[in-house]
């Protein structure tokens, strides 16, 4: 069974611009400036490439992680339809 997933990336030290397809919002955790919430994704090449692009954008604006930052992974509770292929 294949499920969707989503990730939330917490960053520090940079003003994060609007990132297409993501919800960028302030985070209330001390020493964490922003949380980037990606949309639900299927485990496929498109998803991995999309995550890499988001990480490049964050690197380009000098976003960093510190000991207060985290990465959250959410797994969808409903499997993808049988006729949908993740590749």
């Amino acid at each position: 069974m294949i499920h969707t997933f989503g990730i939330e990336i917490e960053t520090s030290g940079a003003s994060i611009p609007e990132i297409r397809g993501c919800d960028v919002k302030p985070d209330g955790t001390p020493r964490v400036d922003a949380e980037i919430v990606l949309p639900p994704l299927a485990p496929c090449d498109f998803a991995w490439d999309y995550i890499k692009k988001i990480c490049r954008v964050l690197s380009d604006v000098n976003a960093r992680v510190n000991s207060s930052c985290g990465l959250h992974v959410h797994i969808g509770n409903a499997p993808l339809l049988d006729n949908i292929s993740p590749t």
Side-chain angles (χ1 to χ4, degrees):
M1 231 179 276
I2 299 171
H3 295 265
T4 60
F5 71 97
I7 63 173
E8 299 173 3
I9 304 168
E10 295 177 345
T11 64
S12 177
S15 176
I16 307 299
E18 185 175 309
I19 300 176
R20 188 169 148 183
C22 296
D23 184 16
V24 178
K25 54 188 177 181
D27 189 278
T29 306
R31 300 185 340 119
V32 176
D33 298 318
E35 181 175 67
I36 298 83
V37 181
L38 281 69
L41 300 165
C44 64
D45 289 342
F46 172 84
W48 311 134
D49 290 342
Y50 181 67
I51 294 168
K52 289 176 194 173
K53 287 178 185 176
I54 298 301
C55 290
R56 271 189 238 117
V57 168
L58 295 174
S59 178
D60 289 348
V61 298
N62 293 316
R64 300 288 178 245
V65 296
N66 60 38
S67 60
S68 297
C69 294
L71 172 78
H72 306 129
V73 178
H74 299 268
I75 306 298
N77 62 357
L80 290 174
L81 299 175
D82 288 339
N83 62 346
I84 296 177
S85 171
T87 56

